[in-house]
Amino acid sequence: MSETALRDLNAIPGSEKKNESSSKGSITKPLAGNANENQEECQKKATAALGALSINGAEVANTGVEIGIAEVEYIESENLNDLEDVDTSLKTLVTGLESKDWVLLCEALNNVRRFSIFHKEAMLDMLGDVISLVVRSLKNPRSAVCKTAIMTSADIFNAYNDLVVDSLDPLLLQLLLKSSQDKRFVCEAAERALVAMTTWVSPPLLLPKLQPYLKNKNPRVRAKASMCFCRSVPRLV
């Protein structure tokens, strides 16, 4: 039987054997190439999609090796809960505001807001240092930190009124700049903070601080300063 099979194989013309061999050899190579290309393409699309994601306060950092995702919730002042441990929170407040971990930094900023609302006397002695650190957070390139710092500024104005005047200059500049930028949710938060400022800081103290910005080279800053000026002047009466 094996001799018959051998004779049949030898009887096949050489060209047919060559075609059969070449067709068998060509089956796997294109499939392997397509699989690799498809895998690389999927990886590129996934990396691009995750690298560009920034929705509703979700910040995505793509380091090229790993991708971390975290969310910060923007809590309105009336929805903030009181501090569980006032003494411990006060001792760790400055450390939190100096943190390089942006999630911890946002939590520390929210604690400043809680102190302003529920325990403003406890933070009074360190108010100047706290405002300086809030200003630093306003300069943070991460939008979640920036917006939380803006909301913190509004609560500080509400709680401490004229007591903020000695530390107001750098804070006022950053709020005017943030209210003049293109990121809508940051801009709107900064405008609300400026309204709080003109509501709670006395005009005789505030107007001299605003006056230099009426001639600022940035037309948007001039416009925002003018609006603050106009809101504050009627309160002189």
Side-chain angles (χ1 to χ4, degrees):
M1 192 170 177
S2 60
E3 293 178 359
T4 303
L6 183 60
R7 283 198 302 270
D8 292 341
L9 180 61
N10 291 332
I12 298 175
S15 59
E16 292 183 14
K17 282 193 278 187
K18 183 177 180 180
N19 290 339
E20 183 181 10
S21 176
S22 62
S23 64
K24 289 181 180 178
S26 65
I27 291 175
T28 56
K29 290 182 180 178
L31 288 176
N34 289 338
N36 290 334
E37 291 174 5
N38 290 338
Q39 184 178 7
E40 291 177 2
E41 186 65 22
C42 289
Q43 289 175 345
K44 289 179 181 178
K45 288 181 179 179
T47 301
L50 288 172
L53 181 62
S54 179
I55 302 174
N56 295 329
E59 299 285 346
V60 180
N62 188 344
T63 64
V65 179
E66 60 182 0
I67 296 173
I69 301 175
E71 285 193 16
V72 168
E73 182 181 1
Y74 302 119
I75 309 172
E76 296 300 327
S77 301
E78 58 270 20
N79 296 327
L80 280 169
N81 296 321
D82 196 356
L83 295 156
E84 294 182 1
D85 189 333
V86 176
D87 292 337
T88 301
S89 297
L90 189 63
K91 290 177 182 178
T92 59
L93 187 61
V94 171
T95 302
L97 292 172
E98 293 175 341
S99 176
K100 294 182 179 179
D101 183 324
W102 68 275
V103 177
L104 294 178
L105 176 54
C106 286
E107 181 58 29
L109 288 167
N110 280 327
N111 281 343
V112 172
R113 300 175 66 200
R114 293 182 175 97
F115 273 110
S116 299
I117 295 169
F118 299 106
H119 309 280
K120 66 179 184 180
E121 294 82 6
M123 199 172 66
L124 189 58
D125 291 340
M126 55 194 299
L127 183 60
D129 293 334
V130 168
I131 291 177
S132 296
L133 292 169
V134 171
V135 170
R136 190 168 77 173
S137 294
L138 286 169
K139 300 177 184 178
N140 194 297
R142 193 178 288 275
S143 297
V145 174
C146 182
K147 180 172 178 178
T148 306
I150 292 171
M151 298 173 76
T152 303
S153 302
D155 287 327
I156 288 174
F157 289 137
N158 195 346
Y160 295 100
N161 312 140
D162 293 348
L163 295 175
V164 306
V165 169
D166 291 339
S167 307
L168 184 59
D169 289 322
L171 183 59
L172 174 57
L173 173 59
Q174 289 304 313
L175 290 176
L176 289 171
L177 290 172
K178 298 307 176 184
S179 68
S180 305
Q181 67 168 247
D182 294 328
K183 285 185 179 179
R184 183 175 176 181
F185 76 105
V186 172
C187 179
E188 290 177 347
E191 288 178 345
R192 288 192 292 272
L194 289 173
V195 169
M197 178 188 70
T198 56
T199 301
W200 297 107
V201 180
S202 300
L205 298 176
L206 180 59
L207 292 176
K209 300 288 186 181
L210 284 169
Q211 194 166 5
Y213 296 105
L214 299 176
K215 299 179 180 180
N216 192 276
K217 62 182 180 180
N218 186 329
R220 291 187 177 184
V221 170
R222 290 201 305 270
K224 299 297 182 180
S226 297
M227 293 173 64
C228 292
F229 204 90
C230 291
R231 283 196 301 267
S232 189
V233 166
R235 296 182 58 233
L236 283 169
V237 179

